[in-house]
Amino acid sequence: MADLSPAGSGLPSATLSGPSGSGTRLSEALLPLELAPRTQLQLSGVSRWNALRGVRVGLVAAALLLLLIGANLATPVYPLLQQRLGLTAFDTTLLFTVYVFALVPVLAAVGHWSDLLGRRALILPAVCLAASGDAIFATAHSFGQLAVGRAVQGIAVALATGAAGAALGDLLPDHPTLAAKLTLACSAGGVAFGPIVGAALAGGRNPLLTPFLVHALALLTLCVPLALVHPRMPGARRHPTEPPRITTAFHLKPRRLALPVQGRRTFLLAAGAGFISYAVFGVYLSLAPAFSAGLLHTHSRMVGAVVAALLLGSSATAQLLVPPTRSPRLIALGMTGLAGGLSLVVVAQYADLPALLFLGSVLGGTCQGIAFRSLFTSAVAAMDPASRASQMSTLWVIVYLGSSLPIVAVGALARSCGLLPAVSGFAAVAAAGCLALAGAVLRRR
């Protein structure tokens, strides 16, 4: 039988001491949530680094943050790509949807793998794959090459999304709120910092090469500690009479997406809030530089990046600083605030008031961060630890779908009707969705 455990066939592995785990491989015993005492692990070989829990949390958070930064690194250079390659606003939105269309199927197909193989078994390849995506994007000379680079980035994020979120839940079982906070903050923070980092690195003589080269080097540097750290399996301790989690490759076949049995209503509310939020985020990231250029009378890449990142940065800050709430009224107020922020952004264009653009972005991002984090924390807390990665992948599949078809529709409308009418129509639909979701939260028992 093939050895599919993270330790691998023929590699030195840890053993457990004590009456219940004597002589049992760490990868088979499935220690609960990374909490085995370090003194009980008999490690051999320099490559089996038994890192402290805080170091492991930092590595997972850094991987998730860097992956999301890379996925949005090109936002400020899209206008330059449009000039050099003759791309349109519709082509730019298509590049965003290529990323999502590559991400969603992979996330749905392999989202449960880290429940079986371990979290690092997916996070480390994802980081390496993201570095190759940077290389493809940096050397692209056509729309097709850009699309391939975006697809590779989407696959990398898909491999790590469920695994990283589940890993933080495994590492912080006594602090589930902190685990959810880190997951959302790294996701939203990476999306927010991506345009700013890209604009800062694109100020030199090679604006289409330097950002991706620097980011690829950062990813490859992170691969070193990820490769050295000793892997530990998720889930509860397996009884000695039970079979290992993986006996054949059949266990790794794609599974149908399933909703959790417990907390299903909260799960659906969190998924709905995430779907609307990521639709708004996608439109901001793809069209905000062009949308704000006329209002602010500038074509600066940094200004466009700041406008694009303002909404997401406000969301990430709110998720870090504001504790989650179970109050339906506050959550509903947060979704209503997102609708109000979108309205201010549109009014800013018609009234030629730049201040409303910044105010609406901050208001919408802050309110979205409070509402989504509260729903997300409640949904994750109700998940089964043994299938946390699978259920979290289902949640993220629904959320990321918000960054696909809505953005394509906005891009098509912008090509036929103009940018401002397209964004205005999208804002009206998204605001109506926010208000409907706020009503559903208030009706929750």
Side-chain angles (χ1 to χ4, degrees):
M1 181 184 301
D3 183 4
L4 298 179
S5 63
S9 177
L11 294 177
S13 60
T15 58
L16 301 177
S17 62
S20 62
S22 178
T24 304
R25 287 187 57 172
L26 176 61
S27 57
E28 292 181 355
L30 304 178
L31 284 176
L33 309 175
E34 303 265 357
L35 296 182
R38 289 166 57 83
T39 56
Q40 292 185 7
L41 296 172
Q42 310 298 325
L43 301 177
S44 59
V46 177
S47 63
R48 320 308 289 173
W49 174 33
N50 184 27
L52 291 168
R53 182 170 66 164
V55 175
R56 294 172 183 269
V57 170
L59 290 176
V60 174
L64 187 59
L65 182 66
L66 280 176
L67 287 172
L68 270 299
I69 286 177
N72 300 278
L73 200 63
T75 297
V77 300
Y78 276 132
L80 183 59
L81 289 171
Q82 290 176 350
Q83 296 175 5
R84 291 191 178 183
L85 303 180
L87 303 181
T88 64
F90 182 67
D91 294 330
T92 303
T93 57
L94 279 182
L95 289 175
F96 273 83
T97 55
V98 166
Y99 165 79
V100 177
F101 287 152
L103 185 154
V104 170
V106 175
L107 184 58
V110 307
H112 64 289
W113 280 14
S114 73
D115 288 329
L116 303 171
L117 298 175
R119 313 306 185 195
R120 190 189 68 165
L122 268 71
I123 295 175
L124 179 57
V127 174
C128 296
L129 191 62
S132 67
D134 284 336
I136 296 173
F137 214 89
T139 57
H141 297 289
S142 66
F143 176 83
Q145 290 175 299
L146 292 175
V148 172
R150 289 294 288 168
V152 171
Q153 291 173 337
I155 294 172
V157 173
L159 291 175
T161 295
L168 292 174
D170 294 341
L171 289 164
L172 300 167
D174 46 344
H175 300 287
T177 299
L178 178 59
K181 177 192 293 186
L182 286 175
T183 301
L184 292 178
C186 290
S187 299
V191 177
F193 284 123
I196 296 177
V197 173
L201 296 177
R205 282 184 281 181
N206 296 304
L208 298 181
L209 176 64
T210 304
F212 305 102
L213 178 61
V214 172
H215 184 256
L217 291 175
L219 289 172
L220 294 176
T221 302
L222 181 62
C223 286
V224 176
L226 284 175
L228 293 178
V229 69
H230 187 277
R232 301 192 188 181
M233 291 289 289
R237 184 189 296 273
R238 181 178 61 86
H239 192 274
T241 60
E242 295 178 0
R245 289 200 170 193
I246 298 179
T247 56
T248 67
F250 177 79
H251 292 79
L252 299 179
K253 73 172 185 177
R255 299 176 180 177
R256 289 186 300 177
L257 296 176
L259 300 178
V261 177
Q262 296 181 351
R264 177 169 296 187
R265 182 174 176 81
T266 301
F267 179 93
L268 293 175
L269 289 174
F275 181 91
I276 297 174
S277 301
Y278 272 62
V280 175
F281 291 168
V283 170
Y284 252 74
L285 290 170
S286 60
L287 299 177
F291 186 76
S292 60
L295 178 62
L296 301 178
H297 306 290
T298 179
H299 295 282
S300 170
R301 285 191 291 267
M302 180 57 74
V303 172
V306 169
V307 172
L310 203 56
L311 179 79
L312 294 107
S314 301
S315 173
T317 302
Q319 292 172 24
L320 282 173
L321 300 181
V322 182
T325 177
R326 291 182 177 271
S327 171
R329 291 184 179 180
L330 291 179
I331 296 174
L333 185 62
M335 296 307 300
T336 305
L338 175 57
L342 290 173
S343 302
L344 290 178
V345 169
V346 173
V347 171
Q349 286 284 352
Y350 286 105
D352 195 21
L353 294 174
L356 291 182
L357 173 64
F358 297 104
L359 178 61
S361 300
V362 173
L363 174 64
T366 302
C367 293
Q368 183 275 338
I370 295 173
F372 182 49
R373 187 199 158 192
S374 299
L375 293 172
F376 184 88
T377 301
S378 300
V380 172
M383 291 179 180
D384 181 8
S387 57
R388 180 181 283 121
S390 178
Q391 295 177 7
M392 191 170 292
S393 296
T394 302
L395 176 60
W396 282 113
V397 163
I398 299 173
V399 170
Y400 276 117
L401 283 175
S403 298
S404 55
L405 295 179
I407 301 178
V408 174
V410 174
L413 285 175
R415 185 170 60 176
S416 60
C417 304
L419 184 59
L420 182 55
V423 174
S424 301
F426 166 78
V429 174
C434 291
L435 296 177
L437 194 62
V441 171
L442 290 175
R443 290 193 300 269
R444 184 179 63 175
R445 289 177 300 177

